[in-house]
Amino acid sequence: MMRLNARNKRMKILIRHEHNASHFIYSGLGNAFRSLGHEYHFWDAANKPAFDIFDEYQPDLFIGQGYNLDRATIKCITERRQELKVLLKVGCLGPVCDDVDTEEYPILMASEQEEKDVGVLSSQLQDHLLLFNYVHDNRLDYLMKGWKNIAPCYGLLPAADTVIYKEASVDNNLKCDLAFVGGYWPYKARNFDKYLLPLCYPVGQYNIKIFGNQIWPVPQYLGMINDDKVSNLFASATICPNISEPHANVFGFEVNERIFKLAASKAFFISDPIASLTEDIFANDEAVIADNPEHFRDLVDTFLDKPHLRDTHIQECYDTVMSSHTYEHRANDIIQLLELDVCTKKS
């Protein structure tokens, strides 16, 4: 960690909390800012009013969402427009809106109210506002082109939280053929049912360990796992499947956070196909990608039979992520894009 000097002040970051994937992304980003010498605090808007949290915490940077802005939050932000910088996740507003049937693929699209509320902030904040979505910059226009007339935009791709996912070690109690951590619910299940569940039967054909905060309909489901054991689980498994939500396969822009956790843990993974994964991140054949569920099963059998074939992929994926895709990389991007006069760390 770099030592802060007189010019680089310690920054206070307030993050409006969201559940599911966003919780882990915001936590990883917060941990990265903390490693750079700053502090962050989650705001549970259901339990504390906006005026109270902004007055008590006095943030220098607010990370929130355009789709849940209310009058109180907007007022708290605009009252501090001279000193507060704002980073907002927004719904899609670009060509993707014409391509996606949201009844089949429930992707969050921008509403008219969100456009109006973000526009109000933009008119007040000028260069203090940055909008983002979870996408690689190469695909930013596809999701966010319409927002660029309102405020600057950034593709905040998920990344590896190196505070948590580092120095993983093999645990004999966690050794298995395949390990997966994630919740089972209907939309995700459309891919889980094709890729992972067929390997669960007959029971015992593969040694599979599945953990998550929602019950899976298979006997290999083992309940919750502590966060501090997840990276060891990944490192202890021969193969860690990476299975995406259906729209990632069809439209190619969404790369989940799991892939970065796996790479940082020096785990070997086989992923379902996502265009951005192979074109924007692992563009040099570092990762092993299955074309379809049948190919996935063939690859599982191949690498279980010849586990030494994993070694090059493990190291190359680790090197790619650690060189470009940690949350410290993302934190430094935000600091530079918002021109924050605070400590940065050379990537």
Side-chain angles (χ1 to χ4, degrees):
M1 184 188 302
M2 288 183 62
R3 181 175 296 174
L4 298 174
N5 57 40
R7 180 176 174 273
N8 296 128
K9 74 171 185 175
R10 185 179 300 275
M11 181 167 55
K12 297 175 69 175
I13 302 155
L14 180 64
I15 303 175
R16 178 163 179 165
H17 187 261
E18 289 188 297
H19 294 285
N20 301 321
S22 287
H23 166 78
F24 297 101
I25 293 170
Y26 294 146
S27 294
L29 195 58
N31 287 338
F33 276 117
R34 183 177 287 162
S35 75
L36 296 173
H38 310 297
E39 63 178 85
Y40 79 97
H41 178 78
F42 273 137
W43 169 34
D44 180 357
N47 292 316
K48 185 176 282 286
F51 289 109
D52 289 350
I53 191 67
F54 276 84
D55 286 344
E56 291 171 13
Y57 194 66
Q58 293 294 324
D60 301 294
L61 171 63
F62 173 63
I63 300 176
Q65 303 81 35
Y67 42 81
N68 59 25
L69 288 169
D70 54 28
R71 292 177 62 185
T73 305
I74 291 172
K75 186 169 184 180
C76 288
I77 292 171
T78 55
E79 284 179 345
R80 296 164 173 80
R81 59 183 174 272
Q82 297 301 321
E83 65 275 358
L84 180 67
K85 298 293 180 89
V86 178
L87 180 68
L88 293 180
K89 182 177 182 289
V90 291
C92 297
L93 188 63
V96 67
C97 300
D98 297 324
D99 293 345
V100 175
D101 177 357
T102 54
E103 291 294 321
E104 184 174 4
Y105 304 102
I107 297 168
L108 181 64
M109 303 298 187
S111 67
E112 290 184 6
Q113 185 63 50
E114 182 181 10
E115 289 185 64
K116 179 180 177 181
D117 290 340
V118 174
V120 168
L121 286 183
S122 179
S123 67
Q124 296 289 315
L125 298 178
Q126 298 178 0
D127 61 349
H128 285 213
L129 175 65
L130 182 65
L131 310 179
F132 75 94
N133 208 311
Y134 301 144
V135 66
H136 192 280
D137 268 343
N138 290 348
R139 297 166 196 270
L140 185 62
D141 278 358
Y142 186 54
L143 267 65
M144 299 190 68
K145 188 174 183 179
W147 285 114
K148 290 187 172 181
N149 297 322
I150 298 174
C153 298
Y154 168 53
L156 198 164
L157 195 67
D161 183 347
T162 55
V163 173
I164 297 176
Y165 296 93
K166 65 176 183 179
E167 299 177 358
S169 58
V170 174
D171 183 335
N172 287 330
N173 294 320
L174 296 174
K175 279 188 175 181
C176 55
D177 294 332
L178 296 99
F180 190 86
V181 179
Y184 184 95
W185 53 282
Y187 183 56
K188 288 184 175 182
R190 285 160 54 179
N191 271 353
F192 293 153
D193 291 352
K194 292 188 293 185
Y195 281 90
L196 190 52
L197 265 62
L199 277 64
C200 294
Y201 299 99
V203 175
Q205 180 177 11
Y206 301 97
N207 180 356
I208 300 175
K209 297 184 188 298
I210 299 174
F211 299 88
N213 60 3
Q214 292 168 313
I215 296 174
W216 286 62
V218 292
Q220 292 86 351
Y221 173 67
L222 301 174
M224 296 284 288
I225 184 170
N226 292 337
D227 289 345
D228 60 359
K229 292 184 177 180
V230 173
S231 58
N232 289 347
L233 171 69
F234 292 156
S236 302
T238 304
I239 299 168
C240 293
N242 182 62
I243 302 171
S244 310
E245 294 184 344
H247 61 269
N249 308 134
V250 178
F251 302 101
F253 62 82
E254 184 168 294
V255 177
N256 58 35
E257 192 196 37
R258 182 185 303 105
I259 206 80
F260 302 102
K261 294 177 179 178
L262 292 170
S265 301
K266 288 196 170 180
F268 173 74
F269 61 85
I270 301 174
S271 180
D272 57 354
I274 313 160
S276 187
L277 185 65
T278 49
E279 294 172 11
D280 305 323
I281 300 166
F282 300 118
N284 297 308
D285 296 324
E286 301 100 316
V288 175
I289 311 297
D291 298 330
N292 51 55
E294 293 74 24
H295 186 213
F296 176 78
R297 186 164 194 150
D298 288 343
L299 289 169
V300 166
D301 290 337
T302 296
F303 285 97
L304 288 177
D305 183 52
K306 299 177 181 178
H308 64 279
L309 297 178
R310 304 173 306 151
D311 296 345
T312 298
H313 295 290
I314 291 171
Q315 188 62 49
E316 290 182 349
C317 288
Y318 175 83
D319 291 344
T320 294
V321 166
M322 299 307 289
S323 66
S324 304
H325 299 290
T326 71
Y327 280 113
E328 285 193 354
H329 290 102
R330 308 294 184 254
N332 282 329
D333 286 347
I334 292 165
I335 287 170
Q336 292 168 17
L337 288 167
L338 283 172
E339 298 181 350
L340 292 159
D341 188 20
V342 297
C343 177
T344 60
K345 184 175 181 179
K346 197 168 186 179
S347 300

